């Protein structure tokens, strides 16, 4: 398989239960954000349920809060909201080899969340994961894996054939922030020997 490393100054991932007011960010991207990145790289809508596998690890060096002016539809006045963002972000994607060409020359800009969270491709390399006991963090895993953590129902992929887009696949996940010292429990899992972290390979293709 191949590993793509993306880097960005900032990243933000919408918290699914917050619709207005203070806008927190998820600590890691939901699968639907990965769908957006792959679609931008390829230049057409990509459905994760059609991929043989997908893994990812996300980390950042801190959290900040920005002030953002918003305009409500039909109202001349504006408002100010506080929005969290992650800074100095890195995203590692584990994908089939054929994705190399799309990330060597992405069709559209790659974003880690909003349009201001522009990412660049820092590295593309082939990697062989090692099967052994490791900790997992900086990602989301299925509830069935039994790892304790925050549970959220997250969109895996959107259907872009309708306007507005509709959630096509939603699953409950355990959200595991990138914090190597926080997790003590190890599981038998494919491991990135360079990052010394387990990589959960999602398979939604059935």
């Amino acid at each position: 398989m191949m590993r793509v490393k993306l880097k960005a100054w900032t990243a933000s991932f919408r918290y699914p239960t917050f619709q207005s007011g203070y806008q927190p960010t998820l600590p890691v991207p939901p699968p639907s954000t990965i769908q957006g990145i792959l679609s931008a790289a390829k230049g057409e809508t990509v459905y994760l349920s059609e991929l043989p596998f997908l893994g990812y690890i996300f980390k950042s060096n801190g959290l900040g809060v920005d002030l953002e002016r918003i305009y409500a539809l039909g109202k001349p006045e504006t408002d100010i909201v506080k929005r969290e963002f992650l800074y100095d972000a890195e995203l590692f994607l584990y994908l089939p080899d054929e994705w190399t060409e799309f990330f060597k020359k992405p069709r559209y800009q790659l974003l880690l969340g909003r349009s201001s969270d522009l990412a660049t491709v820092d590295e593309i390399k082939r990697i062989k994961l090692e099967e052994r006991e490791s900790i997992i963090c900086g990602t989301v895993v299925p509830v069935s894996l039994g790892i304790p953590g925050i549970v959220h129902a997250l969109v895996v992929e959107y259907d872009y054939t309708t306007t507005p887009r509709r959630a096509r696949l939603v699953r409950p996940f355990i959200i595991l922030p990138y914090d190597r010292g926080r997790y003590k429990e190890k599981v038998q899992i494919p491991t990135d020997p360079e990052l010394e972290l387990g990589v959960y390979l999602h398979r939604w293709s059935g």
Side-chain angles (χ1 to χ4, degrees), residues 47-74:
Y47 292 106
L48 303 188
S49 58
E50 297 173 358
L51 298 180
F53 65 85
L54 163 72
Y56 64 92
I57 295 173
F58 173 85
K59 62 180 182 178
S60 69
N61 281 326
L63 176 74
V65 179
D66 198 7
L67 297 178
E68 184 176 272
R69 173 175 292 178
I70 62 170
Y71 294 84
L73 287 174

Side-chain angles (χ1 to χ4, degrees), residues 87-157:
Y87 64 87
D88 198 11
E90 294 181 344
L91 175 65
F92 298 87
L93 296 170
Y94 301 84
L95 293 160
D97 292 343
E98 55 266 30
W99 279 87
T100 300
E101 60 177 297
F102 302 127
F103 280 97
K104 280 185 175 178
K105 195 173 183 180
R107 180 68 175 81
Y108 300 109
Q109 64 269 33
L110 307 176
L111 305 174
L112 295 188
R114 297 160 56 80
S115 59
S116 57
D117 303 318
L118 187 63
T120 57
V121 178
D122 189 60
E123 181 185 62
I124 301 173
K125 69 182 296 185
R126 286 184 58 82
I127 190 164
K128 184 176 182 180
L129 302 183
E130 300 174 357
E131 187 73 27
R132 55 186 162 97
E133 286 195 337
S134 299
I135 62 171
I136 309 175
C137 65
T139 190
V140 300
V141 298
V143 175
S144 59
L145 204 60
I147 297 177
I150 305 168
V151 179
H152 267 295
L154 300 175
V155 176
V156 173
E157 61 187 16

